[in-house]
Amino acid sequence: MTGRAAKAMRAGNQASAGDLLELVRSGRATTRGALQQATGLSRATVGQRLDRLFRAGWLREGAGGPVDSPLGGRPSITLEFDDAHAVVLAADLDTRHGRAAVVSLTGEILAEHHGTLRIEDGPDAVLGELGHWFAELLEKAGQSADSVCGIGLAVPGPVDSDTGRVVQPPIMPGWDGYDIRGRLGRAFEEHTGTRTETRSGAGIPVLVDNDANLMAYGEQRTGYPDCSAFALVKVSTGIGAGMVVGGAIYRGVDGGAGDIGHIRVGADALCRCGSYGCLAAVASGGAVARRLAESGVRATSGSDVRDLLTAGHPEAMALAREAGRQVGDVLATVVTLLNPGVLMIAGDLAGTPFLTGVRELLYQRALPRSTAHLDVVTSRLGDRAGLVGAGALVVEYLYAPERVEQRLTALGV
C-alpha cells in the first residue's frame, strides 16, 4: 500500500474513490483484486467506489490481465483511466512569443499553435488573444468547449500559486498583481460562447505558474519520473530555474524559488530588473543578443540568438559558450545546495556551445560529491515542455484524491 491511499489508511481512514483512481492512474493497482490488496477494502466497497468513477466517465475497463492463480480461471479485467472524457487547454508565454495547445488528460498534444505574442503589450491584450487561439484550437482538435475541464498557463515571471498572480515580474510590465485567472476565463467565454462552468456547476479552474517550473514539471514527469530531485534551467531572453523535488514543484514561500537570473555575479551590466550585475544581464539570450548587436550582427532577442546558433554563426557560438561558463559558475552553488540527480538546460541557448560552457565551470567549481550522480542534459520536450507541464498541473489538481471526492459529490454520483 503506497501513496495517498496508504497515508489515508495510516490516518485511520478508508481509501476513498479518489484514492482508488490515483492507484489506477499511477499503474500501482489496475484490477479490482489489486485495489483490494492495496487498500484493505472489501470487494463490495471497492465495487461501490469504482461504480462512482464509472458513472462519472473517469474509468473504463480494459483488456483482461494475466491469470494469477495456478489453478487457472478467468483473467482479471484491468481498469484504465478514461482520458477521453475531457481535455485541458494549455499555454506557454515567452517575452515575444506564445504557444497554446489542446492537451489530453494523459499529456498528448491534440492541437497546437504558436505565434507572436508580446508580453509587453499587457495582460488584457495577451490573454484576450489566447482566448481566440483556444477557440480555434478546440475546433481544430474536434473538441467542444464543454469538454474543457481546466486551463493551465506558464508565464515568464514569479507567481503566487495561491492567487495565480505574478509578483513583481522583472520582464512583464503591467502584469504585477493582475487577475490572470479571471481575465483568461473571460477570454475563453468570449471566444467560445461558453460559460466557464463544468457539469458540476463549478467554474473551470485556471492555474498559473512560472514557465521554468512548468517546463521542469513536464520534463520530469515524462522523462525522469524516478528522479527525486530534478532541476531545469531555462536560458532564453532571461534566465530562470524550475525544481521538482519529491515529485512536486518546489516554489519556495511565495513563488520566488528558482529566480537565479538575478543572482549577482559581480559585473556592472544593468539588468532589466533595475539592478546591476545580475546573471541575466550578462549570460541570458538577451545579453548575448545585445553583444552581437554591438558588433554589427542583427539580433534583438534570445530567439534570434537561437537562429544564429542553428546556422553555426561563429561569434554567436563563442558568446554562447562564454555565457554557459558564467551560468555554470552559478549552477555549481545550486547543485551543491540541491544535490539534484538531473540538471537540464533548456531554452533558446540550450545547444552544444552553451552546454559545454556550463559543464566546464560546473564540474570545476562544484564538489565532486555533488556531481558524482548528476546527469547534465538538454531538453527532451523542447518547445512543448511548458505546455506538457501546464497540462499536467491541471490534471494533477483536478484528479487529486480529495478533489475527486468533491467533484463526484458535485456531480451527484
Side-chain angles (χ1 to χ4, degrees):
M1 185 165 50
T2 57
R4 290 189 179 99
K7 292 178 182 178
M9 295 295 288
R10 284 196 298 269
N13 301 317
Q14 285 193 332
S16 66
D19 292 315
L20 299 191
L21 182 62
E22 184 184 29
L23 288 169
V24 173
R25 287 183 59 230
S26 66
R28 298 198 300 268
T30 58
T31 66
R32 288 169 174 80
L35 289 170
Q36 287 178 244
Q37 184 176 10
T39 63
L41 297 176
S42 69
R43 179 177 179 179
T45 301
V46 167
Q48 291 168 356
R49 295 184 180 173
L50 289 178
D51 182 61
R52 298 177 69 199
L53 298 171
F54 279 116
R55 283 187 284 146
W58 298 352
L59 274 187
R60 65 187 173 208
E61 290 187 340
V67 178
D68 296 328
S69 171
L71 300 178
R74 291 185 300 175
S76 300
I77 299 299
T78 59
L79 302 171
E80 299 174 350
F81 179 58
D82 190 344
D83 68 339
H85 70 269
V87 295
V88 172
L89 296 174
D92 183 10
L93 298 178
D94 207 336
T95 53
R96 294 168 178 257
H97 300 88
R99 189 174 292 268
V102 179
V103 185
S104 78
L105 298 182
T106 50
E108 179 185 358
I109 303 290
L110 304 178
E112 183 179 1
H113 174 76
H114 62 90
T116 300
L117 208 55
R118 299 170 62 87
I119 207 82
E120 64 187 25
D121 289 341
D124 187 63
V126 169
L127 298 175
E129 183 64 12
L130 273 183
H132 175 66
W133 287 9
F134 283 153
E136 291 188 336
L137 283 168
L138 285 170
E139 184 176 354
K140 181 179 179 181
Q143 298 285 339
S144 70
D146 292 334
S147 68
V148 177
C149 65
I151 301 173
L153 175 64
V155 297
V159 176
D160 181 336
S161 59
D162 290 335
T163 65
R165 298 172 187 249
V166 293
V167 182
Q168 300 178 356
I171 58 175
M172 299 178 69
W175 290 73
D176 186 21
Y178 186 85
D179 182 15
I180 295 175
R181 291 175 176 173
R183 177 65 182 106
L184 189 52
R186 291 192 301 275
F188 175 77
E189 289 184 357
E190 292 163 5
H191 290 281
T192 62
T194 304
R195 288 184 57 80
T196 52
E197 290 187 354
T198 62
R199 195 154 52 98
S200 67
I204 292 176
V206 178
L207 304 185
V208 186
D209 210 327
N210 172 261
D211 55 354
N213 283 349
L214 292 182
M215 290 173 69
Y217 197 46
E219 295 278 9
Q220 188 270 340
R221 285 178 57 82
T222 58
Y224 303 89
D226 297 326
C227 181
S228 61
F230 178 96
L232 177 145
V233 178
K234 178 186 178 183
V235 186
S236 291
T237 297
I239 301 176
M243 294 166 287
V244 180
V245 179
I249 296 172
Y250 179 76
R251 300 182 177 89
V253 174
D254 60 4
D259 203 1
I260 66 169
H262 300 285
I263 292 175
R264 304 292 177 84
V265 293
D268 60 359
L270 176 63
C271 182
R272 293 182 66 174
C273 73
S275 297
Y276 286 87
C278 294
L279 179 64
V282 297
S284 65
V288 172
R290 285 192 297 274
R291 293 187 62 180
L292 287 169
E294 289 168 0
S295 64
V297 179
R298 186 174 180 179
T300 60
S301 67
S303 58
D304 292 335
V305 176
R306 176 168 62 177
D307 293 340
L308 290 168
L309 291 172
T310 301
H313 190 282
E315 188 173 356
M317 294 176 70
L319 289 174
R321 180 166 179 169
E322 180 183 340
R325 289 171 57 85
Q326 292 167 313
V327 172
D329 196 10
V330 170
L331 289 179
T333 300
V334 173
V335 165
T336 301
L337 179 65
L338 184 62
N339 189 210
V342 175
L343 173 63
M344 179 173 285
I345 307 299
D348 292 329
L349 266 62
T352 300
F354 186 87
L355 188 64
T356 299
V358 167
R359 285 175 167 155
E360 285 178 12
L361 263 289
L362 172 62
Y363 287 106
Q364 177 183 328
R365 299 291 171 84
L367 292 172
R369 173 68 182 82
S370 301
T371 58
H373 301 99
L374 175 69
D375 289 330
V376 182
V377 300
T378 54
S379 172
R380 291 187 174 192
L381 298 175
D383 291 336
R384 288 181 162 180
L387 295 177
V388 173
L393 185 73
V394 173
V395 171
E396 292 307 312
Y397 171 84
L398 287 173
Y399 295 94
E402 63 277 7
R403 196 155 287 105
V404 164
E405 287 302 306
Q406 296 169 5
R407 295 175 67 203
L408 289 174
T409 300
L411 287 169
V413 298

mmCIF file of all heavy atoms in Angstrom, residues 8-43:
data_model
loop_
_atom_site.group_PDB
_atom_site.id
_atom_site.type_symbol
_atom_site.label_atom_id
_atom_site.label_comp_id
_atom_site.label_asym_id
_atom_site.label_seq_id
_atom_site.Cartn_x
_atom_site.Cartn_y
_atom_site.Cartn_z
ATOM 1 N N ALA A 8 -3.864 7.750 3.926
ATOM 2 C CA ALA A 8 -5.222 7.768 4.455
ATOM 3 C C ALA A 8 -5.450 6.601 5.393
ATOM 4 O O ALA A 8 -6.059 6.738 6.456
ATOM 5 C CB ALA A 8 -6.236 7.723 3.303
ATOM 6 N N MET A 9 -4.942 5.420 5.031
ATOM 7 C CA MET A 9 -5.125 4.251 5.875
ATOM 8 C C MET A 9 -4.360 4.401 7.188
ATOM 9 O O MET A 9 -4.847 4.046 8.249
ATOM 10 C CB MET A 9 -4.659 2.996 5.138
ATOM 11 C CG MET A 9 -5.492 2.671 3.909
ATOM 12 S SD MET A 9 -7.208 2.252 4.312
ATOM 13 C CE MET A 9 -6.961 0.645 5.059
ATOM 14 N N ARG A 10 -3.157 4.984 7.106
ATOM 15 C CA ARG A 10 -2.384 5.181 8.328
ATOM 16 C C ARG A 10 -3.083 6.152 9.256
ATOM 17 O O ARG A 10 -2.944 6.101 10.474
ATOM 18 C CB ARG A 10 -0.976 5.699 7.984
ATOM 19 C CG ARG A 10 -0.047 4.637 7.445
ATOM 20 C CD ARG A 10 1.378 5.102 7.492
ATOM 21 N NE ARG A 10 1.603 6.270 6.661
ATOM 22 C CZ ARG A 10 1.982 6.214 5.407
ATOM 23 N NH1 ARG A 10 2.168 5.043 4.822
ATOM 24 N NH2 ARG A 10 2.178 7.313 4.720
ATOM 25 N N ALA A 11 -3.837 7.087 8.680
ATOM 26 C CA ALA A 11 -4.562 8.067 9.482
ATOM 27 C C ALA A 11 -5.869 7.494 10.029
ATOM 28 O O ALA A 11 -6.620 8.176 10.704
ATOM 29 C CB ALA A 11 -4.861 9.311 8.645
ATOM 30 N N GLY A 12 -6.148 6.238 9.725
ATOM 31 C CA GLY A 12 -7.348 5.605 10.243
ATOM 32 C C GLY A 12 -8.551 5.780 9.346
ATOM 33 O O GLY A 12 -9.678 5.472 9.740
ATOM 34 N N ASN A 13 -8.356 6.261 8.121
ATOM 35 C CA ASN A 13 -9.462 6.462 7.199
ATOM 36 C C ASN A 13 -9.413 5.413 6.099
ATOM 37 O O ASN A 13 -8.341 5.005 5.668
ATOM 38 C CB ASN A 13 -9.385 7.861 6.563
ATOM 39 C CG ASN A 13 -9.416 8.954 7.606
ATOM 40 O OD1 ASN A 13 -10.188 8.883 8.544
ATOM 41 N ND2 ASN A 13 -8.568 9.952 7.432
ATOM 42 N N GLN A 14 -10.583 5.020 5.621
ATOM 43 C CA GLN A 14 -10.625 4.106 4.490
ATOM 44 C C GLN A 14 -10.298 4.858 3.213
ATOM 45 O O GLN A 14 -10.608 6.038 3.067
ATOM 46 C CB GLN A 14 -12.009 3.483 4.376
ATOM 47 C CG GLN A 14 -12.281 2.415 5.421
ATOM 48 C CD GLN A 14 -13.524 1.618 5.091
ATOM 49 O OE1 GLN A 14 -14.438 2.118 4.448
ATOM 50 N NE2 GLN A 14 -13.544 0.372 5.515
ATOM 51 N N ALA A 15 -9.645 4.155 2.279
ATOM 52 C CA ALA A 15 -9.318 4.759 0.992
ATOM 53 C C ALA A 15 -10.603 5.150 0.269
ATOM 54 O O ALA A 15 -11.570 4.398 0.229
ATOM 55 C CB ALA A 15 -8.511 3.785 0.147
ATOM 56 N N SER A 16 -10.600 6.350 -0.315
ATOM 57 C CA SER A 16 -11.771 6.889 -0.994
ATOM 58 C C SER A 16 -11.776 6.500 -2.467
ATOM 59 O O SER A 16 -10.822 5.893 -2.974
ATOM 60 C CB SER A 16 -11.771 8.413 -0.881
ATOM 61 O OG SER A 16 -10.670 8.941 -1.611
ATOM 62 N N ALA A 17 -12.832 6.901 -3.165
ATOM 63 C CA ALA A 17 -12.875 6.702 -4.618
ATOM 64 C C ALA A 17 -11.720 7.435 -5.282
ATOM 65 O O ALA A 17 -11.132 6.958 -6.256
ATOM 66 C CB ALA A 17 -14.220 7.184 -5.170
ATOM 67 N N GLY A 18 -11.379 8.603 -4.741
ATOM 68 C CA GLY A 18 -10.246 9.355 -5.280
ATOM 69 C C GLY A 18 -8.935 8.629 -5.111
ATOM 70 O O GLY A 18 -8.073 8.651 -6.000
ATOM 71 N N ASP A 19 -8.771 7.957 -3.978
ATOM 72 C CA ASP A 19 -7.558 7.164 -3.761
ATOM 73 C C ASP A 19 -7.480 5.995 -4.741
ATOM 74 O O ASP A 19 -6.411 5.665 -5.257
ATOM 75 C CB ASP A 19 -7.520 6.630 -2.332
ATOM 76 C CG ASP A 19 -7.336 7.732 -1.302
ATOM 77 O OD1 ASP A 19 -6.482 8.598 -1.529
ATOM 78 O OD2 ASP A 19 -8.043 7.722 -0.284
ATOM 79 N N LEU A 20 -8.627 5.356 -4.997
ATOM 80 C CA LEU A 20 -8.646 4.244 -5.958
ATOM 81 C C LEU A 20 -8.279 4.744 -7.350
ATOM 82 O O LEU A 20 -7.525 4.091 -8.079
ATOM 83 C CB LEU A 20 -10.028 3.588 -5.989
ATOM 84 C CG LEU A 20 -10.551 2.963 -4.690
ATOM 85 C CD1 LEU A 20 -11.802 2.139 -4.986
ATOM 86 C CD2 LEU A 20 -9.500 2.088 -4.031
ATOM 87 N N LEU A 21 -8.811 5.912 -7.716
ATOM 88 C CA LEU A 21 -8.498 6.459 -9.038
ATOM 89 C C LEU A 21 -7.009 6.755 -9.157
ATOM 90 O O LEU A 21 -6.400 6.493 -10.200
ATOM 91 C CB LEU A 21 -9.308 7.733 -9.288
ATOM 92 C CG LEU A 21 -9.112 8.378 -10.663
ATOM 93 C CD1 LEU A 21 -9.562 7.441 -11.775
ATOM 94 C CD2 LEU A 21 -9.860 9.706 -10.756
ATOM 95 N N GLU A 22 -6.411 7.268 -8.090
ATOM 96 C CA GLU A 22 -4.976 7.550 -8.147
ATOM 97 C C GLU A 22 -4.170 6.268 -8.308
ATOM 98 O O GLU A 22 -3.179 6.235 -9.051
ATOM 99 C CB GLU A 22 -4.526 8.300 -6.896
ATOM 100 C CG GLU A 22 -3.049 8.681 -6.986
ATOM 101 C CD GLU A 22 -2.530 9.348 -5.728
ATOM 102 O OE1 GLU A 22 -3.046 9.065 -4.633
ATOM 103 O OE2 GLU A 22 -1.580 10.135 -5.849
ATOM 104 N N LEU A 23 -4.569 5.213 -7.629
ATOM 105 C CA LEU A 23 -3.864 3.942 -7.764
ATOM 106 C C LEU A 23 -3.942 3.418 -9.194
ATOM 107 O O LEU A 23 -2.968 2.882 -9.731
ATOM 108 C CB LEU A 23 -4.451 2.919 -6.786
ATOM 109 C CG LEU A 23 -4.123 3.136 -5.301
ATOM 110 C CD1 LEU A 23 -4.983 2.237 -4.425
ATOM 111 C CD2 LEU A 23 -2.645 2.881 -5.034
ATOM 112 N N VAL A 24 -5.099 3.581 -9.827
ATOM 113 C CA VAL A 24 -5.252 3.140 -11.216
ATOM 114 C C VAL A 24 -4.433 4.029 -12.142
ATOM 115 O O VAL A 24 -3.706 3.536 -13.019
ATOM 116 C CB VAL A 24 -6.739 3.151 -11.623
ATOM 117 C CG1 VAL A 24 -6.880 2.869 -13.122
ATOM 118 C CG2 VAL A 24 -7.526 2.122 -10.824
ATOM 119 N N ARG A 25 -4.539 5.352 -11.967
ATOM 120 C CA ARG A 25 -3.820 6.287 -12.851
ATOM 121 C C ARG A 25 -2.314 6.082 -12.783
ATOM 122 O O ARG A 25 -1.612 6.199 -13.795
ATOM 123 C CB ARG A 25 -4.154 7.731 -12.475
ATOM 124 C CG ARG A 25 -5.545 8.200 -12.868
ATOM 125 C CD ARG A 25 -5.746 9.677 -12.523
ATOM 126 N NE ARG A 25 -4.756 10.480 -13.219
ATOM 127 C CZ ARG A 25 -3.988 11.388 -12.638
ATOM 128 N NH1 ARG A 25 -4.065 11.609 -11.341
ATOM 129 N NH2 ARG A 25 -3.124 12.082 -13.347
ATOM 130 N N SER A 26 -1.817 5.789 -11.588
ATOM 131 C CA SER A 26 -0.376 5.622 -11.420
ATOM 132 C C SER A 26 0.115 4.253 -11.871
ATOM 133 O O SER A 26 1.321 4.028 -11.999
ATOM 134 C CB SER A 26 0.001 5.828 -9.944
ATOM 135 O OG SER A 26 -0.555 4.796 -9.143
ATOM 136 N N GLY A 27 -0.820 3.324 -12.110
ATOM 137 C CA GLY A 27 -0.444 1.979 -12.513
ATOM 138 C C GLY A 27 -0.077 1.075 -11.355
ATOM 139 O O GLY A 27 0.341 -0.071 -11.561
ATOM 140 N N ARG A 28 -0.234 1.546 -10.116
ATOM 141 C CA ARG A 28 0.139 0.732 -8.961
ATOM 142 C C ARG A 28 -0.875 -0.369 -8.674
ATOM 143 O O ARG A 28 -0.531 -1.383 -8.076
ATOM 144 C CB ARG A 28 0.322 1.625 -7.728
ATOM 145 C CG ARG A 28 1.438 2.651 -7.863
ATOM 146 C CD ARG A 28 1.867 3.189 -6.510
ATOM 147 N NE ARG A 28 0.792 3.833 -5.787
ATOM 148 C CZ ARG A 28 0.522 5.138 -5.856
ATOM 149 N NH1 ARG A 28 1.233 5.916 -6.672
ATOM 150 N NH2 ARG A 28 -0.453 5.664 -5.141
ATOM 151 N N ALA A 29 -2.128 -0.157 -9.070
ATOM 152 C CA ALA A 29 -3.162 -1.182 -8.885
ATOM 153 C C ALA A 29 -4.185 -0.998 -9.994
ATOM 154 O O ALA A 29 -4.865 0.019 -10.045
ATOM 155 C CB ALA A 29 -3.823 -1.045 -7.514
ATOM 156 N N THR A 30 -4.315 -1.981 -10.883
ATOM 157 C CA THR A 30 -5.166 -1.811 -12.059
ATOM 158 C C THR A 30 -6.222 -2.905 -12.211
ATOM 159 O O THR A 30 -6.808 -3.058 -13.277
ATOM 160 C CB THR A 30 -4.303 -1.760 -13.337
ATOM 161 O OG1 THR A 30 -3.532 -2.961 -13.426
ATOM 162 C CG2 THR A 30 -3.379 -0.551 -13.325
ATOM 163 N N THR A 31 -6.451 -3.673 -11.158
ATOM 164 C CA THR A 31 -7.573 -4.628 -11.147
ATOM 165 C C THR A 31 -8.301 -4.470 -9.817
ATOM 166 O O THR A 31 -7.762 -3.913 -8.851
ATOM 167 C CB THR A 31 -7.093 -6.088 -11.281
ATOM 168 O OG1 THR A 31 -6.327 -6.441 -10.114
ATOM 169 C CG2 THR A 31 -6.245 -6.281 -12.541
ATOM 170 N N ARG A 32 -9.515 -4.991 -9.769
ATOM 171 C CA ARG A 32 -10.275 -4.902 -8.521
ATOM 172 C C ARG A 32 -9.562 -5.624 -7.380
ATOM 173 O O ARG A 32 -9.519 -5.141 -6.252
ATOM 174 C CB ARG A 32 -11.686 -5.476 -8.731
ATOM 175 C CG ARG A 32 -12.583 -4.576 -9.575
ATOM 176 C CD ARG A 32 -13.858 -5.287 -9.985
ATOM 177 N NE ARG A 32 -14.791 -4.399 -10.664
ATOM 178 C CZ ARG A 32 -14.720 -4.043 -11.923
ATOM 179 N NH1 ARG A 32 -13.712 -4.496 -12.675
ATOM 180 N NH2 ARG A 32 -15.616 -3.230 -12.454
ATOM 181 N N GLY A 33 -8.978 -6.785 -7.702
ATOM 182 C CA GLY A 33 -8.258 -7.525 -6.684
ATOM 183 C C GLY A 33 -7.049 -6.773 -6.167
ATOM 184 O O GLY A 33 -6.774 -6.757 -4.957
ATOM 185 N N ALA A 34 -6.314 -6.131 -7.083
ATOM 186 C CA ALA A 34 -5.131 -5.367 -6.669
ATOM 187 C C ALA A 34 -5.533 -4.169 -5.818
ATOM 188 O O ALA A 34 -4.819 -3.799 -4.873
ATOM 189 C CB ALA A 34 -4.358 -4.915 -7.903
ATOM 190 N N LEU A 35 -6.672 -3.553 -6.134
ATOM 191 C CA LEU A 35 -7.152 -2.432 -5.324
ATOM 192 C C LEU A 35 -7.532 -2.895 -3.922
ATOM 193 O O LEU A 35 -7.268 -2.201 -2.936
ATOM 194 C CB LEU A 35 -8.346 -1.761 -6.009
ATOM 195 C CG LEU A 35 -8.028 -0.972 -7.273
ATOM 196 C CD1 LEU A 35 -9.312 -0.553 -7.986
ATOM 197 C CD2 LEU A 35 -7.181 0.261 -6.945
ATOM 198 N N GLN A 36 -8.161 -4.061 -3.832
ATOM 199 C CA GLN A 36 -8.481 -4.609 -2.516
ATOM 200 C C GLN A 36 -7.207 -4.829 -1.701
ATOM 201 O O GLN A 36 -7.135 -4.477 -0.521
ATOM 202 C CB GLN A 36 -9.220 -5.948 -2.656
ATOM 203 C CG GLN A 36 -10.659 -5.846 -3.122
ATOM 204 C CD GLN A 36 -11.268 -7.227 -3.262
ATOM 205 O OE1 GLN A 36 -11.628 -7.659 -4.347
ATOM 206 N NE2 GLN A 36 -11.372 -7.942 -2.150
ATOM 207 N N GLN A 37 -6.213 -5.400 -2.349
ATOM 208 C CA GLN A 37 -4.971 -5.708 -1.655
ATOM 209 C C GLN A 37 -4.250 -4.432 -1.232
ATOM 210 O O GLN A 37 -3.682 -4.354 -0.132
ATOM 211 C CB GLN A 37 -4.070 -6.539 -2.557
ATOM 212 C CG GLN A 37 -2.782 -7.004 -1.878
ATOM 213 C CD GLN A 37 -1.972 -7.913 -2.776
ATOM 214 O OE1 GLN A 37 -2.262 -8.052 -3.963
ATOM 215 N NE2 GLN A 37 -0.945 -8.543 -2.212
ATOM 216 N N ALA A 38 -4.263 -3.411 -2.079
ATOM 217 C CA ALA A 38 -3.550 -2.170 -1.790
ATOM 218 C C ALA A 38 -4.208 -1.353 -0.689
ATOM 219 O O ALA A 38 -3.540 -0.629 0.053
ATOM 220 C CB ALA A 38 -3.428 -1.326 -3.054
ATOM 221 N N THR A 39 -5.525 -1.427 -0.599
ATOM 222 C CA THR A 39 -6.259 -0.563 0.331
ATOM 223 C C THR A 39 -6.823 -1.273 1.553
ATOM 224 O O THR A 39 -7.162 -0.619 2.543
ATOM 225 C CB THR A 39 -7.429 0.117 -0.396
ATOM 226 O OG1 THR A 39 -8.356 -0.882 -0.852
ATOM 227 C CG2 THR A 39 -6.930 0.936 -1.580
ATOM 228 N N GLY A 40 -6.979 -2.593 1.473
ATOM 229 C CA GLY A 40 -7.607 -3.311 2.562
ATOM 230 C C GLY A 40 -9.121 -3.224 2.570
ATOM 231 O O GLY A 40 -9.775 -3.687 3.503
ATOM 232 N N LEU A 41 -9.696 -2.644 1.516
ATOM 233 C CA LEU A 41 -11.150 -2.540 1.419
ATOM 234 C C LEU A 41 -11.753 -3.879 0.994
ATOM 235 O O LEU A 41 -11.100 -4.683 0.326
ATOM 236 C CB LEU A 41 -11.543 -1.465 0.407
ATOM 237 C CG LEU A 41 -11.136 -0.018 0.716
ATOM 238 C CD1 LEU A 41 -11.522 0.885 -0.439
ATOM 239 C CD2 LEU A 41 -11.770 0.469 2.008
ATOM 240 N N SER A 42 -13.016 -4.081 1.353
ATOM 241 C CA SER A 42 -13.703 -5.291 0.926
ATOM 242 C C SER A 42 -14.028 -5.212 -0.557
ATOM 243 O O SER A 42 -14.023 -4.130 -1.167
ATOM 244 C CB SER A 42 -15.004 -5.460 1.716
ATOM 245 O OG SER A 42 -15.946 -4.459 1.341
ATOM 246 N N ARG A 43 -14.349 -6.363 -1.129
ATOM 247 C CA ARG A 43 -14.712 -6.418 -2.549
ATOM 248 C C ARG A 43 -15.930 -5.549 -2.832
ATOM 249 O O ARG A 43 -15.972 -4.825 -3.830
ATOM 250 C CB ARG A 43 -15.000 -7.865 -2.949
ATOM 251 C CG ARG A 43 -15.397 -8.037 -4.398
ATOM 252 C CD ARG A 43 -15.597 -9.515 -4.719
ATOM 253 N NE ARG A 43 -16.008 -9.697 -6.109
ATOM 254 C CZ ARG A 43 -16.235 -10.877 -6.662
ATOM 255 N NH1 ARG A 43 -16.074 -11.996 -5.937
ATOM 256 N NH2 ARG A 43 -16.601 -10.964 -7.922
#
